[in-house]
Amino acid sequence: MARIRHDGPLIIGGGLAGLSAALEAAGALGPDGRVLVVTPEPLLNACSSAWAQGGMAAALSPQDSAALHARDTEGAGAGLVEAEAARALTERGRETVEWLAALGAPFDRDADGGFSVSLEAAHSLPRVARVGGDGAGRAILSAVVAAARATKGIEIWEDGRLRGLIRDVDGRVRGAVIERRGGRLDEVFASAVVLATGGIGGLFEATTNPSALRGEGLALAYQAGAEILDPEFVQFHPTAIDVGLDPAPLATEALRGEGARLVDGRGVFLLGDHPDADLAPRDIVARAVHAARVAGSGAFLDATKAVGEAFPHEFPAVFAACMRAGLDPRVSPIPVAAAAHYHMGGIVADDEGRTTVPGLFAIGECAATGVHGANRLASNSLLEAGAFGRRAGRAAAAEVQPERRPLAAAPAMTDLPPEALAALRAAMTRHAGVVRDEAGLTALLVLIDDLAKAYPAAACLTAARLVAEGALKRRESRGGHYRRDFPDSLPRAEHTRMRAAPAPARDEEAEAATLAALAAVI
């Protein structure tokens, strides 16, 4: 096992949050600074940022404002959005879009050269900056990737998986265990570790996320003592294209913003005939789609009139996904299903990414900064990744490694074998999906317990348990969390907070002797 000292921040994840942090950290450190980015796949692969279709929400039009954007954010979050965090996010909307545009992100423009914006669910005004209709994520991230590759102070490992966090005996995170190609483990010591590890969609059988995203950063942060917030809140996108693919292609919400309608197999509107009925918050729309499918009447997104022949150039990604499946959305409604799409819960972090564990930062979907509450407002995720990712990069660059301390052992996590993972994913979709109840969640926890006995080092089981236990504890329905047995919301909205039980007392003298060689590298 190689032991590597890295004099600068170590960033785990190569999506928009991680690379935004890397660029800002490199700028803050100056020409002699070093930033290390570790990602398991080549950049632009296996990260949700590249798959985002709708765009980036920001107050960009004269009639809009950061305050109005914050109000919509709070309204969507069902009482659990932290107002100060929402303002911190929305006040950085325009500057974040302009920063990305300066890097080369080719946002759509209007006739006057301003940013073209579209309407999405639960926004009171059009404010979603788009690229090529439905290609925002990949186009934005491509510009950021190019900038990161061109920055001298940024080193990128595109074959590294997070396998553990290294702490000292005081609990401070001092580095990470990284598995490189061929199974080699490297211990990388750094002034700060920034988790930008994405969400948990891969824990579910039906998801729009890369299936490799299974909450491993969330699990390791929890095991390291970090506080976890509201893990039960998972957003299910109502219009995953239901053509039997894993993960499921996405039909962007912008289609409904353009007038596409959700219907059952007989053509009856799922949410009523009001023109804006399908632009309700995602949890409401997802439950309507789920109910129609359970009832056997099917769920379809009909864009034949609203988009029709304009599909190939207005929504090229959706059009291509449909055509690959043998479906022409210009003339046929698109079969859809609700699928795991975004994790509102996560590692407690402030707007600079600081967690409750010294030396550990969290940004992007793995973090819970208070801006999403119980139900994320559409297209706020890319904004959060860019805006708070940049702030975290500057904060992490300012971290200084404290005096040498003996290190606590960092057991490496493992993966579940395919059969066990398939069983977990099926159970998560069935019991912790769009509709939940006590019996199902209890059965899910029994399965997780059984799998943990056989595979105790599988971090994805820790992430799944956090979701299931949070959902079982929350005896109400709120936002993305719906309990069949508790369908009403409680009068007062309260957060779920989780922390791992303190580790038993250790013999620090013996531990220091055992790990003396390891401690010497820091």
Side-chain angles (χ1 to χ4, degrees), residues 101-375:
L103 291 179
F107 288 101
D108 295 347
R109 302 282 183 161
D110 59 26
D112 298 323
F115 295 105
S116 179
V117 291
S118 63
L119 180 66
E120 291 189 359
H123 289 271
S124 57
L125 291 168
R127 66 163 65 91
V128 179
R130 292 161 57 182
V131 180
D134 59 2
R138 190 168 190 84
I140 292 170
L141 189 58
S142 293
V144 177
V145 166
R149 291 198 188 281
T151 301
K152 183 179 179 181
I154 298 177
E155 179 181 359
I156 304 170
W157 293 357
E158 296 177 78
D159 66 341
R161 286 192 62 189
L162 175 66
R163 288 301 195 184
L165 293 173
I166 302 170
R167 293 175 289 156
D168 63 24
V169 294
D170 296 322
R172 181 184 180 89
V173 168
R174 306 296 291 266
V177 178
I178 305 297
E179 182 181 344
R180 303 293 301 276
R181 186 176 292 115
R184 186 186 84 216
L185 293 178
D186 289 342
E187 289 173 323
V188 182
F189 301 91
S191 57
V193 174
V194 182
L195 296 179
T197 52
I200 63 170
L203 293 177
F204 292 82
E205 188 174 49
T207 181
T208 63
N209 300 157
S211 56
L213 300 181
R214 299 173 194 143
E216 293 161 348
L218 171 74
L220 290 173
Y222 173 76
Q223 292 168 359
E227 184 175 41
I228 306 302
L229 186 74
D230 298 335
E232 66 271 27
F233 289 115
V234 180
Q235 187 170 81
F236 297 90
H237 201 292
T239 54
I241 301 174
D242 185 25
V243 287
L245 296 178
D246 177 26
L250 183 65
T252 174
E253 199 158 275
L255 285 162
R256 282 175 282 140
E258 293 296 317
R261 301 303 304 269
L262 284 162
V263 298
D264 66 14
R266 297 168 297 167
V268 176
F269 293 133
L270 295 187
L271 289 110
D273 57 5
H274 190 280
D276 292 334
D278 293 346
L279 293 176
R282 282 183 177 170
D283 61 302
I284 295 173
V285 182
R287 286 197 295 275
V289 168
H290 178 75
R293 287 170 52 82
V294 169
S297 55
F300 301 84
L301 182 66
D302 187 352
T304 56
K305 295 179 181 177
V307 181
E309 293 301 319
F311 243 116
H313 60 272
E314 290 291 335
F315 297 97
V318 178
F319 181 73
C322 290
M323 294 298 284
R324 283 195 298 269
L327 175 70
D328 188 343
R330 294 171 295 187
V331 297
S332 300
I334 303 167
V336 294
H341 182 64
Y342 191 88
H343 193 204
M344 278 82 69
I347 307 160
V348 170
D350 64 16
D351 63 0
E352 291 186 327
R354 289 187 178 86
T355 72
T356 57
V357 174
L360 182 66
F361 292 71
I363 52 176
E365 192 173 348
C366 73
T369 59
V371 299
H372 302 309
N375 198 27

